[in-house]
């Protein structure tokens, strides 16, 4: 489809701003927030035409993000790439899979499949069921905190706490034994490797054939690993999520292998980078604001607020894409059938019309109607788990710390899909 023909009118956003939206480095040095602020004030729903990408609408207001996300018939996930990719990458993906997306998990589905597949695990992710895992998550949190404190009085909070903890929790609930965690981490990184310069350079150097062979082998490896788990859980059901996925039936039959693999993959991948980013974000905010640190420490009831504010503050998932299934109007703009839209969650979460002092970190923010978990039918399935694990970690950590402060420069990952701190040097005193 020739998208440029359908995107008409004087709505283009300036080229330099469009360039930041597709520049992974702009998400690391916070220039993206200057762009978002400009867009909300001057062109809250405009078209970006960056080089190498198909044009797309840039949705920056909280209300528009919600409006698009709740109209799931009008704005589809599966028809075009669900995350931003260049034309060249999309072409490669289409060669491999025949469609615009590398996998077909919940986020790449629409009705009627999406509600059916989501219903299979929705109950498992509800707080009532997650309660069964709370004690085990607390054990993991305690061990993680102890390892950090054993470092003395300084550490890199990302490497020593925020990266490993959510991965460990997710593998536990998925039922992957600890010895296989490094293999899982490697697979997820290969498949969804962030656009950090090292990974990107390696990928760009590959020919289309090499790239497709690499992707295929990662998906096959992932599939083979989880086929083993599936067979085991059909014979020996447990309380874990793998048991639910392995035994789930669609129309009376077990899920096809490819769908089950995609299901395992989204849980394995969606649940750790995101939670790592917001966990690190919470500690970063406290390390910069001793008064707020003291307040939360003295009032553990503020921890859920701290968690929600850190998720708003970091907004680890920067965007998801949708495409219009028919012509419509939004915010005074005419959207044409087939148009591609970028939902900028991190912009919605700094929207001056919704948040008082949006650029301040306030753990007592109430209400905190952030869209970091998205909105509508695809609203993050793991939101209660993410909040539970973060709450437990800070309940275990804060009583042990007397003070915490930054001990060097914080570095962020360069990525326009999921990003957050990659280095957070801190020094601390123990109680
Ligand atoms: C979907 C963010 C943690 C599993 C999503 C979406 C966002 C998101 C923005 C898309 C929502 C939409 O399109 O409206 C986050 C953030 C997290 C987090 C910020 C941590 C702070 C988790 C965890 C899991 C998880 C821990 C699972 C273990 C999923 C799944 C979906 C999803 C399965 C797809 C839902 C669907 O399409 O129906 N998440 N997520 N997420 N997330 Fe999360």
């Amino acid at each position: 489809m020739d998208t440029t023909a359908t995107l008409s009118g004087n709505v283009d956003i300036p080229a330099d701003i469009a360039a930041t939206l597709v520049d992974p480095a702009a998400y690391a040095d916070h220039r993206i927030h200057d762009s978002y602020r400009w867009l909300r004030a001057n062109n809250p729903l405009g078209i970006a035409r960056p080089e190498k990408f198909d044009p797309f609408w840039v949705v920056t207001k909280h209300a528009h993000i919600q409006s698009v996300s709740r109209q799931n018939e009008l704005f589809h996930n599966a028809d075009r790439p669900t995350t931003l990719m260049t034309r060249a990458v999309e072409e490669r993906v289409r060669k491999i899979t025949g469609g615009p997306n590398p996998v077909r998990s919940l986020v790449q589905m629409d009705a009627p499949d999406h509600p059916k597949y989501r219903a299979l695990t929705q109950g498992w992710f509800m707080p009532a069921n997650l309660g069964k895992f709370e004690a085990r998550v607390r054990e993991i949190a305690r061990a993680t905190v102890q390892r950090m404190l054993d470092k003395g009085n300084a550490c890199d909070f990302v490497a020593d706490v925020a990266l490993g903890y959510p991965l460990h929790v997710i593998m536990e609930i998925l039922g992957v034994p600890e010895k296989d965690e490094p293999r899982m981490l490697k697979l997820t990184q290969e498949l969804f490797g962030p656009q950090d310069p090292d990974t990107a350079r390696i990928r760009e150097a590959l020919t289309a054939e090499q790239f497709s062979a690499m992707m295929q082998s990662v998906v096959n490896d992932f599939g083979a690993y989880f086929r083993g788990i599936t067979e085991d859980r059909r014979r020996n059901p447990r309380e874990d999520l793998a048991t639910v996925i392995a035994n789930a039936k669609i129309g009376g039959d077990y899920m096809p292998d490819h769908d089950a693999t995609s299901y395992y993959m989204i849980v394995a991948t969606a649940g750790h980078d995101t939670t790592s980013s917001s966990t690190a974000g919470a500690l970063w905010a406290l390390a910069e604001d001793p008064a707020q640190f003291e307040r939360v420490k003295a009032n553990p009831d503020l921890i859920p607020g701290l968690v929600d504010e850190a998720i708003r503050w970091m907004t680890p998932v920067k965007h998801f894409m949708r495409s219009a299934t028919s012509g419509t109007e939004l915010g005074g703009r005419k959207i044409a059938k087939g148009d591609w839209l970028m939902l900028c969650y991190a912009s919605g979460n700094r929207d001056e019309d919704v948040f008082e002092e949006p650029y301040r970190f306030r753990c007592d923010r109430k209400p905190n109607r952030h869209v970091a978990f998205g909105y509508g039918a695809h609203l993050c399935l793991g939101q209660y788990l993410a909040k539970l694990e973060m709450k437990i970690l800070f309940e275990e950590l804060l009583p042990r710390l007397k003070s915490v402060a930054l001990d060097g420069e914080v570095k962020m990952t360069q990525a326009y899909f999921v990003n957050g701190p990659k280095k957070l040097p801190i020094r601390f005193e123990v109680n």
Side-chain angles (χ1 to χ4, degrees), residues 69 77 105-109 114 118 121 124-125 170 173 241 263 266-268 270-279 311 315-317 319-320 322 343 345 371-383 385-387 389-390:
S69 303
N77 283 39
S105 70
L106 288 179
V107 264
Q108 292 92 9
M109 284 184 188
H114 176 256
R118 185 167 164 120
T121 56
W124 194 93
F125 278 106
I170 215 74
I173 60 149
L241 184 60
Y263 222 119
I266 188 160
V267 175
H272 62 89
D273 274 12
T274 47
T275 316
S276 300
S277 289
S278 40
T279 302
I311 294 168
T315 310
V317 178
H319 80 273
F320 266 115
R322 298 287 193 270
L343 303 179
Y345 302 119
V371 283
F373 289 122
Y375 195 71
H378 288 274
L379 177 69
C380 176
L381 200 53
Q383 64 161 323
L385 176 63
K387 290 202 259 194
E389 51 184 293
M390 286 178 65

Side-chain angles (χ1 to χ4, degrees), residues 139-165 279-280 283-284 286-287 293 393-394 396-407 424-431:
E139 267 175 42
I140 298 174
R142 251 182 223 151
T144 308
V145 167
Q146 194 53 54
R147 266 199 308 275
M148 166 184 158
L149 301 184
D150 289 345
K151 296 238 149 195
N153 59 1
C155 74
D156 172 1
F157 190 76
V158 173
D160 295 325
V161 177
L163 269 187
Y165 170 64
T279 302
L283 198 88
W284 181 3
L286 295 182
F293 169 77
L393 182 77
F394 286 98
E396 294 299 324
L397 177 61
L398 294 181
R400 309 279 312 267
L401 291 181
K402 198 155 118 201
S403 70
V404 59
L406 291 185
D407 192 27
L424 180 63
I426 53 165
R427 70 196 129 74
F428 51 83
E429 290 172 298
V430 178
N431 268 331

Side-chain angles (χ1 to χ4, degrees), residues 54 79 155 159 174 243 255 258 327 372 424:
D54 272 347
D79 302 351
C155 74
L174 209 44
T243 300
M255 256 191 271
H258 177 256
L424 180 63

Side-chain angles (χ1 to χ4, degrees), residues 45 59-76 322 328-332 335 341 343 345 371 374-377:
L45 192 56
V59 187
T60 56
K61 293 292 284 181
H62 190 275
H64 293 154
I65 293 171
Q66 288 194 328
S67 172
V68 171
S69 303
R70 82 162 77 86
Q71 301 183 71
N72 301 95
E73 287 293 312
L74 186 55
F75 295 105
H76 267 184
R322 298 287 193 270
T328 185
E329 229 183 280
L330 181 70
I335 313 277
L341 300 93
L343 303 179
Y345 302 119
V371 283
Y375 195 71

Side-chain angles (χ1 to χ4, degrees), residues 347-367:
S347 173
N349 285 343
R350 297 277 195 285
D351 188 338
E352 298 76 1
D353 289 340
V354 177
F355 299 98
E356 230 175 70
E357 301 188 292
Y359 290 85
R360 272 195 61 199
F361 186 100
R362 285 178 19 189
C363 62
D364 58 357
R365 190 178 287 283
K366 251 194 196 143

